[in-house]
Amino acid sequence: QVTLRESGPALVKPTQTLTLTCTFSGFSLSTSGMCVSWVRQPPGKALEWLALIDWDDDKYYSTSLKTRLTISKDTSKNQVVLTMTNMDPVDTATYYCARTNIVGAYFDYWGQGTLVTVSS
Amino acid sequence: DIQMTQSPSSLSASVGDRVTITCQASQDISNYLNWYQQKPGKAPKLLIYDASNLETGVPSRFSGSGSGTDFTFTISSLQPEDIATYYCQQYDNLLEEITFGPGTKVDIK
């Protein structure tokens, strides 16, 4: 069965770089059409898509955050890593990784999410 | 940028009621529209993809319709377990933009 799990620090300081890892099983990111995305949700607010990486190592980023984001994959480890630079308190959110279908860009399996708080 | 609006922002209905949520895009997005359910403290769950296709395993009381700029999500008979926030999500076929709507919170009256 498909599972995804996010890991990373629960607390980061302003201006620091956040690194989150998504470890997944039940599918391969080397399979044509497979992608993994990152989505975040500030407390009490709506979902926001951040980035997507596909089986061919093509990368797509939110226009508003692209200068701060880097997404990468390690297919052998079944992992996708997201880095976000220059963290600010407004970046406090639950960060989710989700398997994404390239045809339809829908998120069909999600991790449980990890809450990241940005505070000094 | 494509802007997504949802209405209402919240609603309260009785068990068995028909519930309708609308999602409007600021420009034509064809049928590139998906719907999710999110219960408190949980990750979102895909319900409908490509505007009207029911995800496997999702109860048939959920449905979606629409194309272009106007979309509708319907729960034909509201159940207690449907209490959640519902989000629409659009994408462009170049994956340059993926956007969620602001959400609609559904409660039981």
Side-chain angles (χ1 to χ4, degrees):
Chain A
Q1 94 257 28
V2 175
T3 65
L4 302 99
R5 185 182 76 252
E6 307 87 353
S7 58
L11 179 67
V12 297
K13 290 181 166 48
T15 76
Q16 285 186 338
T17 294
L18 171 68
T19 299
L20 294 172
T21 300
C22 176
T23 304
F24 57 87
S25 63
F27 68 98
S28 172
L29 244 188
S30 58
T31 300
S32 179
M34 284 297 161
C35 315
V36 170
S37 293
W38 287 93
V39 175
R40 72 177 179 179
Q41 185 172 39
K45 296 190 177 181
L47 302 161
E48 178 183 21
W49 172 73
L50 301 176
L52 177 154
I53 189 165
D54 73 14
W55 75 99
D56 207 24
D57 209 33
D58 290 321
K59 299 155 188 176
Y60 305 86
Y61 296 101
S62 163
T63 304
S64 61
L65 291 167
K66 67 188 307 179
T67 61
R68 298 173 55 205
L69 296 173
T70 303
I71 192 169
S72 62
K73 66 182 174 76
D74 185 331
T75 305
S76 65
K77 291 184 179 178
N78 280 353
Q79 290 184 331
V80 171
V81 174
L82 181 76
T83 63
M84 180 180 290
T85 61
N86 194 24
M87 293 292 284
D88 183 272
V90 301
D91 297 313
T92 293
T94 295
Y95 287 75
Y96 295 98
C97 63
R99 191 180 81 164
T100 311
N101 191 309
I102 195 74
V103 180
Y106 52 83
F107 311 107
D108 56 359
Y109 290 91
W110 295 68
Q112 64 188 17
T114 185
L115 176 62
V116 178
T117 301
V118 184
S119 174
S120 54
Chain B
D1 287 10
I2 299 175
Q3 306 301 317
M4 306 299 293
T5 57
Q6 275 183 246
S7 61
S9 57
S10 65
L11 66 89
S12 188
S14 300
V15 173
D17 281 355
R18 182 180 185 87
V19 168
T20 299
I21 298 168
T22 63
C23 180
Q24 188 169 55
S26 58
Q27 59 187 268
D28 191 334
I29 59 171
S30 184
N31 68 332
Y32 300 158
L33 195 285
N34 307 314
W35 290 95
Y36 300 84
Q37 174 194 66
Q38 187 179 33
K39 297 183 178 181
K42 300 293 187 182
K45 175 186 176 183
L46 175 68
L47 300 180
I48 303 285
Y49 63 94
D50 290 345
S52 60
N53 295 298
L54 192 68
E55 172 71 342
T56 302
V58 173
S60 59
R61 64 179 181 274
F62 297 102
S63 64
S65 64
S67 66
T69 60
D70 296 302
F71 301 86
T72 301
F73 172 80
T74 301
I75 306 173
S76 60
S77 176
L78 186 67
Q79 300 301 303
E81 61 266 32
D82 300 336
I83 300 312
T85 299
Y86 293 84
Y87 293 94
C88 60
Q89 172 243 319
Q90 70 84 25
Y91 64 96
D92 70 74
N93 59 1
L94 297 178
L95 295 182
E96 293 178 340
E97 191 170 0
I98 297 176
T99 312
F100 288 90
T104 295
K105 187 175 182 181
V106 175
D107 279 327
I108 295 285
K109 194 181 292 184

